[in-house]
Amino acid sequence: MPVRIAAAFVLLSTGLLSANDRSDYFEAHIRPLLVAHCVRCHGPDRQESGIRLDSRAHVLEGTDHHDALVDPSDPESSRLLQVIAWNEDDVQMPPDSPLPSGAAAAFRTWIQDGAVWPKASEFGRIQDARSDWRTHWAWQPVTRPDPPGPGHPVDAFIRKKLAEHGLDLSPRAPLRVLVRRLSVALTGLPPDRDDLRAAAQQSDSTADAWLDALTDRLLASPHFGERWGRHWLDVARYADTKGYVFRQDRNYPDAWRYRDWVIRAFNSDMPWDEFLTRQLAADRFPDDQTPEDLAAMGFLTLGRRFLNNPHDIIDDRIDVTMRGMMGLTVTCARCHDHKYDPVPSADYYSLYGIFDSSMEPGDAPSPLRMVDRPKPREPVIFVRGSAARRGDPVPRRFLTAFSEVAPEPFTDGSGRLELARAITSRRNPLTARVAVNRIWGHLFAHPLVRSPSDFGMRSDPPSHPELLDHLAAWFMDHDWSVKRLIRHIVTSETWRQSADRRPDAETVDPDNRLLARMSRTRLDFEAHRDAILAAAGCLDPALGGPSVDITTRPFSTRRTVYARIDRQNLPGLFRTFDFASPDAHAPQRYETTVPQQALFQLNSPFILDMSEAAARTARESGAGEAAAVRQLYEQILQRTPTEEEQHQALQFIRSDQPDPAAGWSYGCGTISPSLKRLESFRLLPVMIDGAWRGSPALPDPVYNWSLLTNNGGHPGNSRSLCVVRRWTAGRSSRLEIRMTLEHPSEQGDGITSIVLHNTETVLDRVSVRHAKQVRRISRTEVQPGDTIDFVTFCGKSASHDSFRSDIHIEETDGKRTRVWHSVKDFGSQNAPQATDAWTQLAQVLLLTNEFVFVD
Amino acid sequence: MNRSGRHPVSVPNLAKNAPSPQESSPVPLGSRRDLLSRCGMGFGSLALATLLHPNRAVAGPLSPRPAPLPSNVRSVIHLFMNGGPSHVDTFDPKPMLRRYAGKPVPGGNLKTERPTGAAFPSPFRFRRYGESGLPVSELFPHVARSIDDICVIRSMHADVPNHEPSLLLMNCGEARQVRPSLGSWLTWGLGTENQNLPAFIAMCPDGYPIQESQNWQSGFLPGIYQGTYINSRHTDIARLIENIRNDRTSPGDQRRQLALLRAMNARHLENRGGDDALEARIQSFELAFRMQTEAADAFDIRQEPKHIHDMYGTGVHARQTLIARRLVERGVRFIQLWHGQGQPWDSHDDLEVQHRRLAQQCDQPIGALLRDLKQRGLLDSTLVIWGGEFGRTPAVELPKKGSNQGKINGRDHNHWGFTMWMAGGGVRGGYAHGATDDFGFRAVEDKVHVHDLHATILKLVGFDHETFTYRYAGRDFRLTDVHGRVIEELIA
């Protein structure tokens, strides 16, 4: 359920702030000022000069004692603005010191915009906020609303709302589209080719049963857990490292055990209440104490370490628990009573006491374990969040606003198990709603409640409140089974409808919140990378195990859920593709569209390797070009090309005219002591006066005398500064090589040249001194991307080591013969042509919107 | 202000009269019609799109947006002297130290990270410069030439004498928890002028400073607002920006690929009757293709004439500083230049030698940058910020096991009082604000906390730090949290 940013429409003709924005403005800027600076003397307890600034009526309308304090028709005449201006000849409020900078401007803006004071906010003391919360939708007990019509309950609720706007669902999407939609949603993988074939053979009468059976098969697939487990890992701010720890080891070498536990839990359809309970208190399931079971507590123990500051570590644990499981933002209450939700500071420290009474005794078999301290710690309030200012003691207990769920202080050890029981109590109005809302969001791109980790007073109400309650109740009534809930939703016509545009609905519902059609979604980072691996025929379907680095070559072919996640220095690849930040609990992924994503897809070694792999399979199928194009379409887009597409693709292949200089590149490197292997290769950075070299300076501080020109060059002064003229193969072919090498100087100790295939196979070796030699190398078989390196280095001395060389490579693949000539091909582009037209075509298909979006 | 009409979290909805992104973008994104015709689509679908969304245009998350308050600032360069340069040896002369040389500082030493001893007079001579006559030590003669454009803040103070929390405080306004950095806030708030380059670039030669990429983190803001790290030691563009170059496909072939891709995507789009997300992705490939040339160009300082090279000097600092100017010219929003990997300015001992070496590396490039920006008319629109995460003690650091190696010729960290300066971008030049005590230990007059500096920087760039907020985890977060006040005296 991504938050889409790139394609955001910006209203150009915005007028005044909307009513919502204006009450937001009051909440964000005005009320905090009033609460912080005014209501102590002008509020419920004291009314200096008969004035109350916690009262809408007092401020906007005035009383018997005074006129209205603000005047939107003439803002500057507002008494409120005058007194806070702190003019010398007037009353100065507040009396001790002026309001912070910006406050006056905020009041002025608010008054100019009509002094909107939302009715619900008619209070001055924070505690009073809680008198309102009892009516907030999210705290109400979950009800079981009757579906307002026949058929699938989900459809009935959705249709009812649509009908209010004169709309109805779209027709069902074609079966082939549904197969892909289902496969991606349930397993994060492209559909199986056999399933697509079977789909094509269904008739109207068999389609439903077949689709239901496919749904069951996908739910039973072990890849289901990989997909849905990853959704939860966003919530759990999963990472394989601790964050910044200065010089300590920053790895969590066993983090993957928690990740695998989550995947297994989804695959075994562990009931949600148990799933949550075990993550908080797996140590309290006496029959399940294997290391695998205890890994569940990685939920708590795998957060950022904050240089081992215990208060911050506990804060992170409270946050991930309360936002992740209950959609409550309680960490504001670390420093003061929550401004909007019924969470006083005392509640925060009640929870603090639970985690402070727990400790990590992680050992070899169970590194992620947490247990209770032998003696629980009694929490006190830290005044303004400062551990140095200890305030009143508080009991370890659940949130006081939910006293009907768990009224008594916790007595069982730290209270973690009791906390878990309270969170998963059927009387808890939030937990089931939060869970089904997340699941709905993953299936429909938009959750019913827009802020999936904040169901508090300031959250928007659900788009379909009755549907949310129906799902929450249904979920609990069906043993908190995630698989059954997903099945319940994806078998609705709402989920199965077409994603085609609905012009009739776009004016009333541009965001498609009413669901008159299915939302088109973009593959997220994991599904995208997995789909590329699958299209290339490289995907490794193995389950579980230690995390793997996916950013360096040779590229791992494991599913992306197994990627090592470095919390501290998250590689650009992850950030570029909107991966959930592992710094803290991530409610939703953003969805951005930026050119860095396109750069990765155009240029990264990963995409090029995968395109090559995909092309190789098609090319090696042995059939003709037309058949190979069809094969490539099948492999990547899982369909046959249209005639027009087939034509365009063939044209693309046939019009390929390789750039003559593209096979060559110019660098320097290190030859191994045995003189049999090129240990390193880097491109010479600049071309100046017809020579590739380190810089204008000769010798260059790094590259020394290394030079390569059209007809020769000069090596650097050591084995690690050989000059290397590299030729890279663009296709499978056989080579005949002729090389002329000359050391023209009459002085110096000469040079040596070695010819290497793929840096490791010596094809030839020759030393020349004051002489010229002609060498021939016959019948070298190469694959696309193979390299032939012509490595030249000095003897003991690098003096007088200028050399001349002239290399012919005759490249034959049975059909075509092409001659490469080092002197003629020499150019200023250091850009070897390693991709051939087939690879390029495969890459184009991988880059299409069709590949990346799911209808 | 963090809600756009369409999406729960989006770019800030800042201005009531925001101009169209097409009007304000100096880099033409291509009008809708251009795009559609390039895609080979007929006028029919264009008309359809226009009918459906009158008065709307596609805007990206990095599209430029005006600040809500008036400001000339288009770019910010933060010169980060990581490790903590000594203020009493650079911009805050303390003659009393000489009088008390070797004697205890009257009033005693403040507690810093390590034990400190007697007053340690600066080994460097100060001179007055410019019409303002502000004193600058011999360490920064090139910077001193621009002193009349510089606003020296001598009364900075922070919270603790340790690198990690102080770095985070200076960059993100919070010492421990994960919060967005200043550069991330600004790129979220303003977008960037040049869509072909990263909006926020952090350059550091040879590796990371301590606390690493948290210094330019985006925190709870979307990842695209995080700083792009560049190791400025490299000269090859391919090593400077990820995936900027394709070493296996020639540009000609890539053009052919993009033509085919465009045709396929246009057909796909047409079959679906248009879709903003599909269109945005189509555009991103066109942008990326242009970025390949533009980025290479921006980082290629060989294109600069000799007199400019002479002005900036040689070495990695000259290079990264000159690149910064080229990036500013191209509309990059926020550029942070770190002095070096680790904490180079952390002269616990051999202060005279170390500070002289460090200043020699960066003085000429920074001085050149200020004059170069000015001669190009860019200084008014570029806010330059110089300083470390804190300063250093005026008292000598005493040897301690494991540190200082028995030399007694360095200074400890000092968060009680230190100096930063700003130039350009509407700051008050030739002005020294506030003061430390007679010895330079503690800020005493017109104190400026790091939060106040942030509030002032935001004001200079066009934001009220109290209303520039982002809703996250149920709270409206600010760079300055609940602190900070704008120091109006710093503003021209």
Side-chain angles (χ1 to χ4, degrees):
Chain A
M1 46 183 173
V3 183
R4 186 172 289 165
I5 296 185
F9 277 110
V10 175
L11 279 165
L12 301 183
S13 56
T14 321
L16 289 167
L17 290 171
S18 72
N20 260 347
D21 287 344
R22 276 178 280 172
S23 52
D24 271 3
Y25 192 86
F26 176 85
E27 293 297 349
H29 305 297
I30 302 305
R31 200 168 75 94
L33 284 169
L34 294 174
V35 169
H37 301 284
C38 312
V39 299
R40 192 163 56 87
C41 305
H42 301 290
D45 300 331
R46 289 161 62 192
Q47 294 90 37
E48 298 275 343
S49 311
I51 290 172
R52 285 187 68 155
L53 289 174
D54 61 329
S55 156
R56 189 168 185 264
H58 279 229
V59 176
L60 301 186
E61 291 150 33
T63 66
D64 293 346
H65 300 286
H66 61 84
D67 293 336
L69 298 173
V70 300
D71 181 358
S73 67
D74 182 7
E76 293 309 316
S77 75
S78 298
R79 187 64 188 139
L80 183 70
L81 283 185
Q82 291 167 353
V83 298
I84 65 172
W86 256 60
N87 288 325
E88 286 191 1
D89 51 359
D90 195 353
V91 174
Q92 299 174 334
M93 284 289 156
D96 298 335
S97 63
L99 289 174
S101 71
F107 274 114
R108 188 169 290 114
T109 305
W110 170 64
I111 295 169
Q112 280 166 353
D113 250 357
V116 169
W117 186 309
K119 282 215 164 61
S121 297
E122 203 162 344
F123 45 76
R125 276 187 312 185
I126 293 144
Q127 286 83 346
D128 291 353
R130 275 173 282 148
S131 61
D132 282 348
W133 67 263
R134 290 186 187 282
T135 59
H136 178 58
W137 64 269
W139 315 149
Q140 308 311 310
V142 173
T143 59
R144 272 186 191 65
D146 289 329
H152 196 296
V154 168
D155 297 334
F157 289 112
I158 294 291
R159 280 203 162 108
K160 181 185 167 212
K161 196 85 180 260
L162 281 169
E164 288 168 13
H165 295 83
L167 298 167
D168 197 1
L169 294 173
S170 291
R172 191 186 279 200
L175 202 49
R176 176 190 161 77
V177 169
L178 287 180
V179 173
R180 179 159 186 244
R181 188 186 292 172
L182 256 185
S183 187
V184 171
L186 268 46
T187 66
L189 291 172
D192 193 272
R193 208 167 299 177
D194 294 338
D195 288 334
L196 286 170
R197 262 186 225 125
Q201 284 152 19
Q202 300 306 314
S203 65
D204 284 354
S205 59
T206 59
D208 273 14
W210 183 81
L211 202 53
D212 289 352
L214 175 65
T215 306
D216 289 335
R217 259 193 295 130
L218 292 171
L219 285 167
S221 157
H223 300 310
F224 170 83
E226 293 173 321
R227 175 65 168 172
W228 286 81
R230 183 56 247 183
H231 291 323
W232 180 254
L233 294 175
D234 283 10
V235 169
R237 41 99 178 94
Y238 174 83
D240 292 279
T241 66
K242 300 170 182 172
Y244 188 80
V245 290
F246 198 48
R247 288 188 187 137
Q248 295 170 14
D249 177 15
R250 64 175 47 172
N251 290 306
Y252 280 130
D254 295 290
W256 60 273
R257 296 178 195 278
Y258 169 66
R259 179 245 289 145
D260 282 359
W261 180 85
V262 170
I263 292 174
R264 282 195 306 271
F266 275 95
N267 276 336
S268 67
D269 201 19
M270 182 184 286
W272 193 253
D273 52 349
E274 181 186 337
F275 177 67
L276 300 186
T277 305
R278 285 181 183 260
Q279 293 180 73
L280 296 178
D283 57 323
R284 302 298 303 277
F285 285 68
D287 298 338
D288 300 319
Q289 292 292 301
T290 67
E292 287 76 24
D293 294 322
L294 293 168
M297 306 189 75
F299 178 76
L300 293 173
T301 55
L302 288 172
R304 193 175 256 282
R305 290 322 264 212
F306 305 97
L307 289 165
N308 290 326
N309 177 314
H311 312 300
D312 292 338
I313 292 174
I314 290 176
D315 188 66
D316 169 67
R317 289 174 181 171
I318 294 174
D319 184 55
V320 72
T321 303
M322 298 313 290
R323 275 204 294 152
M325 296 181 174
M326 274 180 64
L328 261 189
T329 60
V330 306
T331 52
C332 319
R334 182 178 180 178
C335 304
H336 50 72
D337 292 349
H338 198 299
K339 284 206 167 90
Y340 308 107
D341 291 336
V343 184
S345 230
D347 277 9
Y348 177 89
Y349 288 97
S350 290
L351 297 176
Y352 180 97
I354 296 169
F355 291 110
D356 194 30
S357 298
S358 308
M359 60 184 195
E360 291 166 72
D363 49 24
S366 301
L368 309 178
R369 187 162 58 124
M370 177 178 270
V371 296
D372 292 348
R373 290 185 192 280
K375 192 171 175 300
R377 296 185 173 175
E378 302 305 327
V380 300
I381 294 174
F382 295 157
V383 179
R384 291 192 175 276
S386 161
R389 297 174 62 188
R390 298 170 69 85
D392 295 336
V394 291
R396 293 186 308 283
R397 59 178 298 161
F398 198 50
L399 303 170
T400 47
F402 296 86
S403 54
E404 68 273 27
V405 174
E408 300 299 325
F410 294 158
T411 53
D412 181 1
S414 68
R416 256 185 306 116
L417 183 60
E418 289 155 292
L419 172 66
R421 299 265 185 255
I423 290 174
T424 57
S425 160
R426 292 193 57 137
R427 284 195 307 276
N428 187 316
L430 288 169
T431 306
R433 282 190 178 119
V434 167
V436 300
N437 187 57
R438 289 194 197 285
I439 289 168
W440 182 276
H442 294 310
L443 291 170
F444 282 97
H446 298 295
L448 296 167
V449 179
R450 280 163 180 263
S451 50
S453 294
D454 181 6
F455 276 36
M457 301 278 291
R458 300 191 69 202
S459 62
D460 287 342
S463 55
H464 297 77
E466 294 182 315
L467 173 59
L468 182 70
D469 269 23
H470 160 76
L471 293 170
W474 197 97
F475 186 44
M476 291 190 279
D477 291 347
H478 291 79
D479 300 325
W480 304 80
S481 162
V482 172
K483 285 192 179 183
R484 289 166 79 177
L485 178 70
I486 291 174
R487 193 178 193 287
H488 181 56
I489 296 174
V490 301
T491 50
S492 68
E493 286 307 309
T494 305
W495 199 78
R496 288 177 173 176
Q497 64 184 326
S498 160
D500 285 351
R501 277 179 77 158
R502 284 285 301 270
D504 57 329
E506 284 175 14
T507 29
V508 280
D509 184 26
D511 294 346
N512 195 28
R513 298 265 286 166
L514 298 174
L515 291 169
R517 62 179 175 89
M518 189 64 179
S519 294
R520 182 171 293 119
T521 56
R522 193 175 77 186
L523 296 181
D524 61 19
F525 173 60
E526 291 91 337
H528 190 178
R529 181 177 167 279
D530 292 351
I532 292 170
L533 286 167
C538 297
L539 184 71
D540 176 356
L543 302 173
S547 300
V548 293
D549 179 4
I550 62 163
T551 58
T552 50
R553 239 169 150 182
F555 294 107
S556 168
T557 54
R558 299 293 311 275
R559 288 198 70 179
T560 314
V561 68
Y562 302 113
R564 179 174 186 274
I565 297 157
D566 180 356
R567 173 177 276 139
Q568 179 64 13
N569 297 312
L570 188 65
L573 169 65
F574 290 80
R575 283 199 311 276
T576 303
F577 285 93
D578 302 312
F579 186 75
S581 163
D583 276 327
H585 161 76
Q588 268 174 304
R589 292 206 181 177
Y590 298 104
E591 187 176 287
T592 66
T593 303
V594 289
Q596 282 86 347
Q597 292 162 355
L599 282 178
F600 178 84
Q601 294 168 83
L602 284 169
N603 297 338
S604 69
F606 173 75
I607 208 88
L608 297 175
D609 284 5
M610 291 305 126
S611 305
E612 255 164 38
R616 200 177 304 134
T617 324
R619 226 179 6 224
E620 285 168 4
S621 62
E625 284 182 337
V629 166
R630 278 198 298 277
Q631 157 103 19
L632 212 50
Y633 262 79
E634 272 298 337
Q635 240 173 268
I636 297 175
L637 300 178
Q638 300 191 302
R639 64 176 175 86
T640 47
T642 63
E643 239 170 75
E644 189 192 357
E645 287 170 331
Q646 173 89 15
H647 176 72
Q648 270 180 341
L650 285 173
Q651 223 177 13
F652 182 85
I653 297 293
R654 288 170 185 159
S655 67
D656 180 33
Q657 295 289 340
D659 185 344
W664 297 99
S665 49
Y666 311 92
C668 72
T670 305
I671 194 88
S672 67
S674 65
L675 307 185
K676 287 183 175 161
R677 203 161 56 81
L678 186 66
E679 290 177 332
S680 71
F681 173 80
R682 52 182 164 165
L683 294 174
L684 284 163
V686 294
M687 161 102 140
I688 296 170
D689 300 338
W692 285 99
R693 61 214 276 183
S695 67
L698 261 185
D700 173 78
V702 176
Y703 293 90
N704 187 255
W705 292 97
S706 304
L707 278 181
L708 280 171
T709 64
N710 64 336
N711 62 358
H714 194 294
N717 61 350
S718 72
R719 261 197 311 109
S720 57
L721 281 172
C722 312
V723 284
V724 183
R725 193 180 298 263
R726 167 170 286 185
W727 182 86
T728 308
R731 53 196 171 116
S732 305
S733 51
R734 199 173 67 204
L735 310 180
E736 298 290 330
I737 302 171
R738 193 188 75 213
M739 173 172 79
T740 309
L741 186 69
E742 183 182 2
H743 178 247
S745 171
E746 308 223 341
Q747 293 170 288
D749 57 358
I751 48 145
T752 302
S753 265
I754 296 179
V755 183
L756 290 161
H757 180 196
N758 283 346
T759 72
E760 301 215 293
T761 310
V762 177
L763 300 178
D764 190 19
R765 182 168 141 194
V766 56
S767 296
V768 282
R769 184 178 171 212
H770 327 319
K772 177 155 132 181
Q773 289 233 21
V774 179
R775 313 285 297 183
R776 284 175 198 280
I777 303 162
S778 289
R779 298 187 183 192
T780 307
E781 303 280 345
V782 292
Q783 298 298 316
D786 279 12
T787 54
I788 306 290
D789 290 330
F790 300 89
V791 182
T792 306
F793 52 96
C794 63
K796 286 210 174 71
S797 145
S799 308
H800 310 287
D801 274 354
S802 281
F803 64 89
R804 286 195 196 135
S805 70
D806 186 335
I807 301 160
H808 282 256
I809 300 175
E810 194 177 288
E811 183 193 22
T812 313
D813 70 353
K815 287 186 215 143
R816 284 196 291 171
T817 297
R818 173 150 186 226
V819 177
W820 300 78
H821 183 198
S822 63
V823 177
K824 272 199 251 159
D825 297 344
F826 187 81
S828 60
Q829 279 280 0
N830 209 337
Q833 162 96 12
T835 57
D836 68 353
W838 286 99
T839 300
Q840 291 168 14
L841 177 62
Q843 189 183 7
V844 169
L845 299 187
L846 288 170
L847 262 50
T848 53
N849 277 343
E850 181 178 350
F851 185 79
V852 175
F853 285 88
V854 181
D855 284 332
Chain B
M1 69 162 36
N2 46 31
R3 300 191 158 203
S4 80
R6 188 177 156 100
H7 303 294
V9 180
S10 187
V11 296
N13 178 11
L14 294 172
K16 289 178 183 172
N17 49 358
S20 113
Q22 284 165 6
E23 284 165 14
S24 60
S25 168
V27 181
L29 296 171
S31 69
R32 213 178 166 82
R33 181 167 181 182
D34 282 350
L35 174 77
L36 296 178
S37 56
R38 271 184 284 131
C39 294
M41 289 178 61
F43 188 72
S45 22
L46 168 71
L48 174 69
T50 312
L51 277 175
L52 287 168
H53 303 294
N55 302 327
R56 288 172 168 185
V58 175
L62 292 168
S63 301
R65 307 176 264 281
L69 305 175
S71 164
N72 288 330
V73 178
R74 289 161 72 90
S75 297
V76 177
I77 301 176
H78 185 176
L79 305 160
F80 211 115
M81 306 294 114
N82 48 320
S86 167
H87 47 293
V88 299
D89 296 306
T90 52
F91 296 95
D92 190 11
K94 290 295 169 187
M96 289 288 269
L97 285 174
R98 190 151 299 284
R99 197 187 305 169
Y100 281 82
K103 296 181 197 140
V105 176
N109 293 359
L110 293 166
K111 185 168 164 40
T112 51
E113 189 185 63
R114 302 172 185 187
T116 52
F120 175 19
S122 176
F124 307 111
R125 252 183 284 164
F126 279 78
R127 254 188 60 194
R128 292 185 179 281
Y129 289 86
E131 284 181 20
S132 59
L134 291 181
V136 179
S137 90
E138 62 185 284
L139 290 181
F140 284 101
H142 290 88
V143 172
R145 287 171 61 186
S146 296
I147 196 71
D148 288 340
D149 292 316
I150 290 178
C151 175
V152 182
I153 310 167
R154 289 184 181 152
S155 51
M156 288 298 305
H157 64 114
D159 296 335
V160 289
N162 312 99
H163 293 289
E164 289 93 344
S166 299
L167 283 164
L168 288 185
L169 178 69
M170 187 59 75
N171 283 304
C172 310
E174 154 65 43
R176 294 177 323 224
Q177 312 233 45
V178 175
R179 297 282 181 266
S181 56
L182 173 62
S184 297
W185 276 107
L186 291 181
T187 45
W188 173 68
L190 297 171
T192 184
E193 310 274 339
N194 188 333
Q195 302 298 311
N196 297 341
L197 288 169
F200 172 14
I201 294 177
M203 280 189 266
C204 183
D206 304 316
Y208 292 135
I210 59 163
Q211 207 70 40
E212 304 163 4
S213 48
Q214 265 190 287
N215 289 302
W216 45 88
Q217 67 193 347
S218 57
F220 43 70
L221 295 173
I224 44 161
Y225 299 113
Q226 170 144 339
T228 298
Y229 167 71
I230 284 174
N231 181 343
S232 47
R233 181 64 71 182
H234 297 313
T235 48
D236 180 4
I237 180 71
R239 302 183 70 173
L240 288 170
I241 296 186
E242 266 185 312
N243 303 315
I244 197 67
R245 196 178 274 167
N246 189 324
D247 55 10
R248 292 191 246 169
T249 310
S250 70
D253 280 345
Q254 202 166 66
R255 262 192 296 275
R256 275 166 19 91
Q257 282 184 299
L258 285 171
L260 180 61
L261 178 65
R262 207 179 294 138
M264 292 189 67
N265 280 340
R267 213 163 23 232
H268 178 263
L269 181 69
E270 197 166 39
N271 289 340
R272 280 151 189 80
D275 180 315
D276 313 322
L278 298 177
E279 278 187 43
R281 190 163 176 275
I282 291 171
Q283 285 190 27
S284 74
F285 281 97
E286 311 287 327
L287 287 173
F289 188 70
R290 289 207 296 274
M291 196 164 173
Q292 297 179 118
T293 25
E294 177 128 4
D297 194 55
F299 286 87
D300 184 7
I301 59 166
R302 289 170 306 170
Q303 299 175 13
E304 294 287 334
K306 180 169 180 302
H307 73 273
I308 293 291
H309 279 289
D310 291 346
M311 194 171 165
Y312 282 79
T314 54
V316 72
H317 290 88
R319 181 162 71 242
Q320 72 172 12
T321 313
L322 182 49
I323 290 171
R325 193 220 75 211
R326 291 175 66 83
L327 295 176
V328 164
E329 283 178 312
R330 285 163 177 75
V332 173
R333 191 64 78 192
F334 196 98
I335 301 144
Q336 199 168 41
L337 297 183
W338 292 78
H339 190 99
Q341 177 265 341
Q343 42 211 30
W345 280 91
D346 198 21
S347 303
H348 285 283
D349 46 41
D350 290 334
L351 177 125
E352 181 175 355
V353 176
Q354 295 303 336
H355 264 47
R356 198 182 291 285
R357 176 179 64 83
L358 293 157
Q360 253 165 20
Q361 290 169 349
C362 66
D363 171 47
Q364 185 182 347
I366 296 173
L369 174 71
L370 294 176
R371 281 176 287 128
D372 198 9
L373 287 173
K374 191 162 185 172
Q375 76 189 6
R376 284 162 205 266
L378 289 170
L379 192 57
D380 286 343
S381 59
T382 308
L383 176 63
V384 182
I385 305 163
W386 179 97
E389 64 271 36
F390 42 50
R392 309 205 75 81
T393 54
V396 75
E397 178 170 324
L398 295 176
K400 194 181 156 195
K401 209 177 171 200
S403 68
N404 214 318
Q405 298 152 24
K407 299 172 178 175
I408 309 183
N409 56 2
R411 303 188 190 277
D412 190 20
H413 311 160
N414 184 6
H415 66 289
W416 300 103
F418 61 101
T419 295
M420 293 190 67
W421 58 253
M422 299 196 284
V427 305
R428 181 170 165 196
Y431 167 67
H433 182 81
T436 47
D437 58 35
D438 287 346
F439 299 89
F441 234 127
R442 186 205 295 267
V444 289
E445 256 173 52
D446 295 327
K447 293 169 71 166
V448 180
H449 189 272
V450 175
H451 294 306
D452 304 329
L453 180 73
H454 286 157
T456 311
I457 291 170
L458 287 181
K459 173 83 184 284
L460 285 163
V461 180
F463 291 96
D464 173 353
H465 72 105
E466 293 189 336
T467 57
F468 185 39
T469 61
Y470 187 87
R471 174 93 43 95
Y472 168 75
R475 247 185 80 190
D476 288 330
F477 280 89
R478 294 166 22 191
L479 173 61
T480 51
D481 195 9
V482 296
H483 314 284
R485 74 201 152 86
V486 174
I487 311 296
E488 297 289 350
E489 296 95 314
L490 307 182
I491 299 172

